[in-house]
Amino acid sequence: MIKLKWAVAGGLYVGLGLLIWLLVTQGRPLPSSRAAVVEGSVAATPAPESPSQVLEREDVRIAFSLRPLASGGEVKAGADAWASFTLTDPRTGEPLAGQRPLAWMTPRAGEQAPDEKGCKTLVSEFLGGLLSRKADVDMNGYMAVTLNEDNTLSVINPQLAFSRTKLFSLISLTGAPADWVLHPSKESLFLSLPGANRVAVVDTVRFRLRGTVPVGKGPTRLALSPDGGLLAVGNDGEGSVSLLDAKSQEVLRTLPVGPGPQELVFAEEGRMLWVSGRGGEVLSGVDVDRLEVVERLEVGQGVTSLAVSDSARAVYAAIPSRGEVVVVDSAGRKVAQRISLGEGVERVALDPSGRWLFALHRDTGKVSVVDTATGQPRHVFEGLVSPDFVTFTPQFAYVRDAGDKRLLLIQRESLAKPGEPVTLRIPFAQTLPGKGDEAEGAAPVVPTPDGQGVLIASPEDRALFFFQEGMMAPSGSHLNYGRRPRAVMVVDRSLSEVKPGVYASAVKPSQEGVYEVPLLLDSPRRAVCFEYRVAPGATAQARVPKVEFTALFDADKRLHAAQTTRLHFRLVNASTKRPLRPQEVSVLLFKPPGAWQRVVEPQAVEDGGLEVSFTPPSPGQYQMLVGTRTPASPLGKLPPLTLRVGPAEGPPPASLHVQETPP
């Protein structure tokens, strides 16, 4: 018997394999779209005047500060805080802008602070993504969250280049979500559950379900006010919109607005909410301060998509049956213009500049681009099958075609120049995306935080594809462990340049005591370590216990296809030695690259251990992931066990249950 035993300490994030990424991207300016938002606007958060610590070298001066978000004083365990690094040239005092620093927070392992060599070692361990060395707080990179067909969310760390699995967590929901929206603080994710008449709230710091909120019948579309204070929920089943306090999740009011399906957009910097009903002819305007419908504009029946430009104070509504886009003056509360674009115009989206309105004609396979300055069509791109979604990076517009395995890339800068715009067709998947109806609410293509590429959800391939600009094919893929990803979202965790030379991020240390705060600069290339003593917190979360996993079977034993084997194991709390109960444990069995997978429920056995039944359908290598249903060690934290399966033969084997030798 081979007895395998691992211990994994709880933590918020896994380490990142970013070393190659750093070398490739060194020196690129940080796009302004990377600015994080914490309870409103990060730009409003000033750099500290008296930093906690300062380190000065011949080529860089670094000031580090950590302060609570809620009030003054010391940072406490379990409380939100604001970490800030100010980089300046020590000779001139000029800020060092456009940097890409990486930073972590980890409890001190010994009595003494690490020296320069120890600091470099600490940074190297975090960069390597080692399962044995994870930071309590990770201020780098991002997580990709997929909205799956089977009522789950997969949380994937796409930058774990050296890990055995990129799956960070699986989140089970009480129904199939139709739409989702991320709070500006990046701490909460809201999802509509039409079948349950509820909105689910997911904690995107610990990636776990926080709870659900009852709303109206058939909630589908969601919209969040720019300040993150108000959540609007379109209840298609009853022709109403529910307005929720996003912080308390309290339903403030439910207003009748007409038959759905509905589309929602906030306008006038969040002061007005516009709601369309595809089953009616009216566009309803809701005053956010009064929580009342104050305007009803007749625009035409069958609005399928809304887009808003605050700079132009305009709302754009697509009406396929009339082949036009209606322009509404939001401030004047009137129809300002009707733009005729031809049949099938079903979806509209504005590029980040607000200059170009993209209209997608799904039935006729073309894309119209309207110059919002003149209100006239400027370009038409034909030859597509069924374009159904568009997203943007600083350089390109990315158009997904439900009938093609290629993306259409349109260079945004070339739209304003004479002649034909620059376009590219890039293959991204092995199978067609499909009709695309399932992705109407949530985005199947999203830009990466650095603005240099996109992540693409491919349902039929059961994978995410990563495309980096400058390449002619996807740069990589991330398997979704057998699940069909209907949409993808990026939760950015990286330090953001909130003002020239000042890099900051929201953090939440989980325990009291002295923390090491290692920082890695890319130019000049330097690793330094700060320290901070986190105070006890009255409401601090309990320390996440260590979890010990013991496989009580011979992992090298060759199994056989089509034969059922019971796999025996034990999962215990390392501190109390209490065996975990079946309801506390999750088990995922899958065959890489993910074409076959099963989530199985463990059963208790007499010796305090657990068992799961495994019936592999075909020969090959399979993997077994074990985790807890708590933050202690969710699926993806413990390394997987590899199970070898040969051709079917002989009678089913007995349970792979091996008694441990008494100590």
Side-chain angles (χ1 to χ4, degrees):
M1 178 192 77
I2 298 177
K3 184 169 74 172
L4 303 177
K5 194 169 188 178
W6 297 310
V8 174
L12 295 181
Y13 309 107
V14 293
L16 297 172
L18 294 174
L19 187 56
I20 296 176
W21 175 76
L22 273 173
L23 295 175
V24 171
T25 60
Q26 182 174 352
R28 288 181 184 167
L30 190 67
S32 58
S33 62
R34 296 258 329 241
V37 181
V38 178
E39 297 299 324
S41 173
V42 153
T45 305
E49 295 181 2
S50 301
S52 301
Q53 301 171 52
V54 176
L55 290 177
E56 186 167 323
R57 303 291 185 265
E58 61 180 12
D59 48 7
V60 63
R61 182 181 185 272
I62 310 166
F64 165 64
S65 175
L66 188 65
R67 56 194 175 97
L69 281 177
S71 59
E74 56 191 357
V75 173
K76 297 181 179 180
D80 294 312
W82 187 246
S84 177
F85 300 89
T86 302
L87 310 182
T88 55
D89 186 318
R91 293 158 295 193
T92 65
E94 291 295 316
L96 297 179
Q99 299 292 305
R100 290 185 176 273
L102 303 178
W104 303 263
M105 289 183 65
T106 187
R108 176 167 291 174
E111 297 294 329
Q112 301 295 325
D115 56 15
E116 184 176 351
K117 182 179 179 181
C119 184
K120 291 180 179 178
T121 300
L122 193 60
V123 168
S124 298
E125 290 173 344
F126 291 146
L127 285 173
L130 299 178
L131 289 168
S132 60
R133 189 60 161 153
K134 298 187 297 295
D136 182 46
V137 176
D138 194 335
M139 292 177 262
N140 319 292
Y142 62 93
M143 292 291 185
V145 184
T146 65
L147 188 154
N148 300 325
E149 191 179 53
D150 63 350
N151 303 349
T152 64
L153 305 179
S154 299
V155 184
I156 296 172
N157 188 338
Q159 296 161 310
L160 271 183
F162 309 112
S163 175
R164 298 185 184 183
T165 176
K166 298 180 182 182
L167 182 66
F168 180 78
S169 182
L170 277 174
I171 303 171
S172 296
L173 303 173
T174 57
D179 197 9
W180 57 1
V181 62
L182 183 66
H183 194 270
S185 68
K186 303 178 187 177
E187 294 184 355
S188 299
L189 174 64
F190 301 95
L191 304 100
S192 59
L193 307 177
N197 298 328
R198 289 177 172 267
V199 169
V201 186
V202 169
D203 180 339
T204 48
V205 174
R206 299 170 183 83
F207 288 106
R208 61 186 179 186
L209 181 64
R210 190 178 291 151
T212 62
V213 182
V215 288
K217 294 181 180 179
T220 305
R221 292 290 183 266
L222 301 177
L224 198 60
S225 61
D227 65 358
L230 189 68
L231 176 69
V233 184
N235 303 312
D236 290 348
E238 63 181 39
S240 70
V241 59
S242 293
L243 304 175
L244 282 70
D245 183 307
K247 184 175 182 180
S248 67
Q249 284 92 61
E250 175 189 359
V251 178
L252 303 176
R253 198 163 186 189
T254 297
L255 304 171
V257 291
Q262 298 169 352
E263 300 292 330
L264 314 168
V265 291
F266 280 92
E268 300 175 48
E269 299 178 341
R271 294 187 296 272
M272 180 73 76
L273 170 70
W274 290 98
V275 185
S276 70
R278 196 174 304 184
E281 299 184 358
V282 173
L283 192 64
S284 301
V286 178
D287 186 294
V288 169
D289 291 332
R290 295 162 57 184
L291 299 181
E292 293 179 354
V293 176
V294 295
E295 189 62 65
R296 297 185 186 273
L297 296 177
E298 289 194 9
V299 295
Q301 188 169 15
V303 173
T304 57
S305 180
L306 296 176
V308 63
S309 170
D310 276 339
S311 59
R313 295 187 175 182
V315 175
Y316 301 86
I319 306 180
S321 62
R322 303 175 63 141
E324 65 182 19
V325 172
V326 178
V327 185
V328 172
D329 179 349
S330 181
R333 300 178 186 176
K334 62 182 180 180
V335 174
Q337 185 183 6
R338 294 180 180 269
I339 306 172
S340 180
L341 296 176
E343 62 178 324
V345 54
E346 192 165 327
R347 170 162 288 186
V348 288
L350 281 163
D351 80 329
S353 71
R355 169 75 185 276
W356 306 107
L357 178 75
F358 284 69
L360 308 183
H361 305 248
R362 290 185 59 175
D363 294 339
T364 57
K366 66 179 183 180
V367 177
S368 299
V369 180
V370 176
D371 187 340
T372 59
T374 63
Q376 298 301 314
R378 179 72 174 266
H379 303 286
V380 177
F381 301 91
E382 298 182 312
L384 291 86
V385 180
S386 183
D388 66 347
F389 187 80
V390 61
T391 193
F392 305 94
T393 66
Q395 297 294 325
F396 291 95
Y398 288 76
V399 180
R400 191 185 80 155
D401 189 344
D404 199 326
K405 293 182 284 188
R406 299 174 298 169
L407 291 172
L408 171 64
L409 275 65
I410 304 171
Q411 188 185 58
R412 291 171 52 198
E413 183 183 29
S414 66
L415 292 171
K417 296 180 179 179
E420 293 296 321
V422 177
T423 62
L424 298 169
R425 298 297 293 266
I426 302 296
F428 74 91
Q430 300 177 16
T431 58
L432 293 175
K435 179 65 176 174
D437 293 330
E438 61 185 8
E440 280 190 352
V445 185
V446 294
T448 54
D450 62 3
Q452 302 296 321
V454 294
L455 285 173
I456 311 151
S458 180
E460 298 303 323
D461 291 318
R462 290 171 166 79
L464 297 180
F465 291 95
F466 168 59
F467 174 76
Q468 185 174 3
E469 292 179 358
M471 308 295 288
M472 295 304 293
S475 302
S477 62
H478 309 295
L479 299 176
N480 200 31
Y481 303 92
R483 290 171 168 81
R484 298 179 75 251
R486 297 161 53 202
V488 60
M489 175 180 289
V490 165
V491 180
D492 189 8
R493 295 296 186 201
S494 54
L495 285 167
S496 302
E497 189 171 8
V498 297
K499 59 191 299 186
V502 181
Y503 304 86
S505 176
V507 300
K508 183 180 287 187
S510 66
Q511 62 189 60
E512 63 185 86
V514 178
Y515 274 78
E516 307 291 358
V517 187
L519 175 73
L520 177 65
L521 304 180
D522 59 345
S523 180
R525 189 73 173 177
R526 189 177 295 280
V528 297
C529 284
F530 296 91
E531 67 176 42
Y532 192 92
R533 181 177 293 277
V534 175
T539 60
Q541 64 182 36
R543 294 190 183 186
V544 178
K546 290 184 178 180
V547 176
E548 292 182 348
F549 171 78
T550 306
L552 302 176
F553 59 88
D554 187 351
D556 283 345
K557 181 179 178 62
R558 189 173 185 178
L559 309 180
H560 297 286
Q563 296 180 1
T564 299
T565 302
R566 296 188 301 277
L567 305 176
H568 183 215
F569 64 94
R570 180 175 290 116
L571 206 61
V572 302
N573 183 310
S575 300
T576 65
K577 301 303 180 184
R578 178 184 70 83
L580 270 64
R581 299 182 295 273
Q583 60 268 31
E584 299 176 282
V585 178
S586 299
V587 179
L588 172 67
L589 294 162
F590 68 96
K591 183 179 183 181
W596 181 92
Q597 60 85 28
R598 294 289 185 275
V599 175
V600 292
E601 296 294 331
Q603 303 295 321
V605 293
E606 292 181 358
D607 65 355
L610 301 169
E611 277 191 349
V612 293
S613 293
F614 174 44
T615 309
S618 60
Q621 283 199 345
Y622 292 75
Q623 290 192 336
M624 174 183 178
L625 279 176
V626 179
T628 69
R629 300 179 190 268
T630 70
S633 184
L635 284 175
K637 282 287 187 70
L638 291 166
L641 277 175
T642 298
L643 305 172
R644 298 182 303 116
V645 176
E649 62 178 40
S655 169
L656 290 187
H657 179 158
V658 182
Q659 286 294 124
E660 292 184 278
T661 303

